Amino acid sequence: MNRPRRFLFFIPVETQHSRRTVVIGYYSVFLAFAVLFLWTRGPARASLLLPVAYAWAALLGGLTTGGPVRLFSKWQRKFKDGSAWGIDGNRPHPWLPGRTMIAPIDRLDEHDLATRDRAHYLAYSTLRWPAIVAALFSPLFLLDASPEKISRVLLLVSIAVAALFFSLPQAIVLWTEPDLDPDPEERGTQTVVKVIP
Amino acid sequence: MDNGKSNPNGDHLYNRIAVLRAERGLSRQDLSDAINVNYQTIGFLERGDYAPSLSLAFALSEYFGLPIEAIFSREPFRPLSEQVYGGNKPSGAAQ
């Protein structure tokens, strides 16, 4: 049985290598945002980067829950051939007549839920350390910083928040998902031995 | 293939899902459709990367028509051939 191919941002993500490449590319763009931000002069221009960074964050992480990664996605469009990266549900598409939406998040099995929970736990238990460090050292920084410097740092922190808090669990799932051995049944290569009486 | 790896509790759980599936000519997708899980979950179970809940273990047991202890074990399974023939050499085998 042919399974649907998996895509993320129109990039095939069948292998762990490709999934990790997507993650590296995704965070490289955030790094580019941060570098651009540091080079940009004037608070107005710099602040323009913030909505762009949040829009980029929403690509993988979604703005609330969700995003395109199956374990986090609330609703996905069902493809024409009935396939999708998820398990079928039934819900009419809000603006495309004849199309249905699938609700993979409602049909996650126990392994999916365990994987998603582990990714959330790992992400937020990791992010607590930079948060603690920032909380401890920010008073020292604020004592003699100019308002302009403070506003720039706050914007930089906002980009970091967009990059990490929104998308880290999704990135962890993509990064850690192992490749499964090919199923001989799917390749049609299983040897069937006939016993002749 | 009888696989088993450590689960988060440090226990080992071995299973015969891959053998049973191959025996019945089922793909991972066929089995996952039958017990209503994602096809990847079947792969992770077979590799021993994931220890199933009691509910999923019962679902597999009912689907294969076997007791749970025939599918899952805390000890490595003996090869099926050894279990079937009990370690006896078939007649006519070289001494």
Side-chain angles (χ1 to χ4, degrees):
Chain A
M1 184 175 178
N2 291 324
R3 282 182 284 104
R5 296 195 67 196
R6 292 165 53 179
F7 290 92
L8 195 65
F9 311 139
F10 306 104
I11 302 167
V13 286
E14 305 289 344
T15 62
Q16 189 181 58
H17 180 262
S18 60
R19 289 189 289 274
R20 289 185 170 184
T21 304
V22 166
V23 171
I24 289 169
Y26 181 77
Y27 286 117
S28 299
V29 171
F30 273 113
L31 202 59
F33 283 146
V35 171
L36 266 177
F37 174 79
L38 292 173
W39 278 356
T40 307
R41 298 292 169 206
R45 279 190 194 173
S47 60
L48 278 178
L49 277 173
L50 194 57
V52 178
Y54 272 90
W56 186 253
L59 272 184
L60 187 64
L63 275 179
T64 56
T65 57
V69 178
R70 184 180 66 85
L71 300 186
F72 300 85
S73 178
K74 277 191 168 177
W75 295 100
Q76 293 178 359
R77 186 166 58 81
K78 188 174 178 179
F79 299 144
K80 197 176 178 181
D81 62 355
S83 65
W85 184 15
I87 303 169
D88 277 3
N90 287 303
R91 178 171 167 170
H93 196 285
W95 60 82
L96 291 174
R99 293 290 182 89
T100 54
M101 304 279 282
I102 60 169
I105 205 166
D106 294 335
R107 302 292 299 273
L108 297 180
D109 67 27
E110 59 181 52
H111 177 263
D112 295 333
L113 291 171
T115 305
R116 193 185 63 177
D117 291 349
R118 195 166 54 245
H120 275 130
Y121 177 79
L122 186 59
Y124 295 117
S125 59
T126 304
L127 288 173
R128 81 168 59 174
W129 294 109
I132 288 171
V133 169
L136 287 175
F137 288 96
S138 57
L140 296 175
F141 164 78
L142 291 171
L143 284 177
D144 58 350
S146 65
E148 189 189 347
K149 194 174 179 185
I150 290 174
S151 64
R152 287 182 75 85
V153 169
L154 282 177
L155 280 172
L156 195 60
V157 168
S158 299
I159 290 176
V161 166
L164 294 176
F165 276 86
F166 278 37
S167 60
L168 196 54
Q170 286 86 342
I172 286 171
V173 166
L174 289 173
W175 190 268
T176 57
E177 184 184 320
D179 286 334
L180 288 175
D181 307 325
D183 186 357
E185 283 292 331
E186 289 185 349
R187 287 182 299 169
T189 55
Q190 188 186 1
T191 305
V192 178
V193 180
K194 283 189 179 176
V195 178
I196 303 170
Chain B
M1 188 168 25
D2 301 336
N3 287 324
K5 290 185 183 174
S6 292
N7 65 22
N9 297 324
D11 301 327
H12 289 262
L13 194 62
Y14 298 85
N15 73 76
R16 274 187 172 141
I17 296 170
V19 172
L20 294 168
R21 193 169 60 77
E23 197 178 77
R24 287 159 172 77
L26 295 167
S27 68
R28 285 184 189 137
Q29 187 74 58
D30 295 334
L31 181 56
S32 66
D33 289 344
I35 59 172
N36 204 23
V37 295
N38 192 288
Y39 74 92
Q40 286 179 310
T41 300
I42 302 298
F44 291 127
L45 284 169
E46 289 177 354
R47 283 162 52 127
D49 285 347
Y50 177 64
S53 69
L54 195 56
S55 169
L56 182 53
F58 268 111
L60 285 161
S61 162
E62 285 164 13
Y63 181 75
F64 287 122
L66 293 168
I68 285 180
E69 60 268 26
I71 304 173
F72 297 98
S73 171
R74 289 186 180 277
E75 302 296 326
F77 283 105
R78 288 161 59 203
L80 272 176
S81 55
E82 191 183 309
Q83 279 195 294
V84 170
Y85 292 107
N88 297 330
K89 287 179 182 171
S91 60
Q95 295 299 313

